[in-house]
Amino acid sequence: MYVTEVPDFRKFWYPIAFAEDLNAGPLARTLLGVDVVIWSDGDGGAAAAHDLCPHRSSKLSIGHVEDGCVVCPYHGWQFGADGKATHIPQLDPGLPIPPKATLRSVFCTVRYGVVWVALDEPVGGIPEVPEFDDPGFRFVRQFDEVWAAAAPRLVDNSFDPAHVAYVHQGTFGTPENARIEPPDIEFTDEGLVMRVLVTVENHLDIARRTNGVDEQQTVRTTESRLVAPFLRVMSITYPNGLRHLLVTGIAPVDDRHLRLVQWAARNDTEADVPAADVVAFDRAVTLEDKWLLEMTNPDYELELAQNVHIKVDRGTIAVRKIYREIAAGTWPGLGGRLLETAS
Ligand code: FES
Ligand code: CO
């Protein structure tokens, strides 16, 4: 499966930027092969549209923002958050703005300080992550970057606890811990939940500092939600009570690239562990996955017969089932809402 072959992927929300980055001007993003401009609406929200001026096809993302309107750099036409032109500098006074001077808007909202976009009317909502409304947790911004890997590959990796022993030998894995109990999998209305215990080797000082454990070895109790199709919310609990919640937003750029927008919530403080250390450790872990995944085949196998599976692979078998169903228009998730609108 190549992601652009599944039109229904256009009906989900994807996190594609940190809202604070819109303060510097409009941003260019590509989602499922569609070039999109996002800009601040001047009111704490964001707006998004196809990155194409209806006048002479300039990119709007290389323009600027004035009073919540994106201003085209070519002839200065301005467009409001609803996509309609609000000002055409060359127009004779008294003449109306042509109705066709309108951008092709896409769905856009801001939540958790993150900009979310859907190309077609979204079937689901923005995932609920109550920790971000809990004053006992702090927000830690992590990454916004493009990888040369297909989006399903990073999801697959995120529901594959067996890779830790090998891919993450530089941070918290060791081949000695290769044999693990198979994860517990439960399908949910939004996707699935995987629960698994992961033994953590503290190879690095920064690992000890960020998980607050002095011993060489500790254990993570993990619960990972897949919010279909490509978002993971992973809750990590350490024996000392530390919780590290990771939201891994994976937006398919095109068939061969993904945008990773990742942020964390933690129930400790900046004085306990500086955010820079939290980011540095998760960066080291993430680079180990990136190195491997950028060399994987972008054509993701949906049929189980295309791969070999063992018992520990339950998570990635379950992920494939969801993608098969979305691609076939039979996914029962979201109370069947996608089924009703299936293309
Ligand atoms: Fe955008 Fe002319 S191309 S204003
Ligand atoms: Co990994």
Side-chain angles (χ1 to χ4, degrees):
M1 170 191 73
Y2 286 102
V3 291
T4 61
E5 293 171 350
V6 181
D8 281 347
F9 285 156
R10 297 167 58 98
K11 298 176 188 167
F12 293 90
W13 287 109
Y14 298 100
I16 56 168
F18 289 102
E20 63 185 8
D21 292 346
L22 295 180
N23 295 337
L27 288 176
R29 291 290 185 262
T30 304
L31 182 59
L32 289 161
V34 176
D35 289 336
V36 166
V37 55
I38 49 177
W39 72 96
S40 163
D41 68 1
D43 215 14
H50 287 236
D51 193 6
L52 185 72
C53 181
H55 178 226
R56 287 297 179 271
S57 295
S58 170
K59 281 207 178 292
L60 294 150
S61 54
I62 56 172
H64 69 280
V65 176
E66 243 175 76
D67 298 329
C69 295
V70 66
V71 184
C72 181
Y74 204 171
H75 310 91
W77 294 25
Q78 300 189 7
F79 302 89
D82 61 359
K84 291 201 175 84
T86 53
H87 180 57
I88 297 181
Q90 296 83 1
L91 201 63
D92 288 339
L95 282 189
I97 287 176
K100 279 172 73 181
T102 300
L103 306 181
R104 206 170 144 197
S105 292
V106 297
F107 297 83
C108 183
T109 190
V110 175
R111 182 94 187 262
Y112 312 123
V114 171
V115 181
W116 303 71
V117 163
L119 295 175
D120 293 342
E121 181 149 22
V123 285
I126 306 294
E128 291 299 326
V129 188
E131 284 81 355
F132 286 102
D133 299 321
D134 181 338
F137 282 78
R138 59 177 165 143
F139 178 97
V140 180
R141 172 181 170 150
Q142 295 201 331
F143 317 122
D144 176 2
E145 62 197 26
V146 173
W147 291 13
R153 292 290 171 198
L154 182 50
V155 176
D156 199 79
N157 170 277
S158 303
F159 288 87
D160 168 20
H163 80 275
V164 169
Y166 279 81
V167 173
H168 296 300
Q169 290 182 58
T171 51
F172 69 106
T174 171
E176 283 154 36
N177 297 340
R179 282 203 69 236
I180 59 172
E181 283 299 312
D184 178 59
I185 304 293
E186 184 192 325
F187 287 101
T188 63
D189 196 43
E190 63 179 10
L192 61 85
V193 175
M194 177 179 84
R195 295 179 187 88
V196 68
L197 293 178
V198 178
T199 303
V200 169
E201 300 291 327
N202 277 326
H203 297 313
L204 305 172
D205 279 348
I206 197 163
R208 285 173 220 270
R209 283 210 300 282
T210 53
N211 62 31
V213 177
D214 276 333
E215 291 75 37
Q216 167 64 23
Q217 205 181 67
T218 184
V219 67
R220 291 175 167 184
T221 303
T222 70
E223 183 179 286
S224 297
R225 283 163 62 192
L226 171 66
V227 181
F230 302 125
L231 185 125
R232 175 191 66 168
V233 183
M234 183 191 205
S235 164
I236 300 171
T237 308
Y238 290 97
N240 58 10
L242 173 67
R243 285 198 57 215
H244 181 88
L245 193 97
L246 266 185
V247 181
T248 305
I250 303 163
V253 172
D254 56 28
D255 287 333
R256 292 166 188 275
H257 298 85
L258 64 87
R259 176 173 291 277
L260 170 68
V261 175
Q262 181 165 290
W263 62 100
R266 287 171 64 103
N267 64 349
D268 61 357
T269 66
E270 181 71 20
D272 297 326
V273 183
D277 284 354
V278 173
V279 174
F281 180 68
D282 283 341
R283 166 51 80 201
V285 173
T286 304
L287 286 178
E288 291 172 322
D289 290 314
K290 180 174 190 264
W291 166 78
L292 189 125
L293 295 175
E294 287 195 333
M295 287 182 282
T296 53
N297 177 0
D299 186 3
Y300 184 79
E301 308 82 9
L302 290 187
E303 301 305 326
L304 295 188
Q306 292 173 278
N307 296 107
V308 185
H309 312 272
I310 60 172
K311 204 165 57 177
V312 75
D313 294 325
R314 280 179 191 165
T316 48
I317 290 171
V319 167
R320 282 167 167 73
K321 173 175 155 67
I322 291 175
Y323 291 158
R324 273 200 309 280
E325 291 175 347
I326 292 177
T330 59
W331 185 52
L334 298 175
R337 283 202 291 285
L338 185 59
L339 269 165
E340 288 158 23
T341 65
S343 52

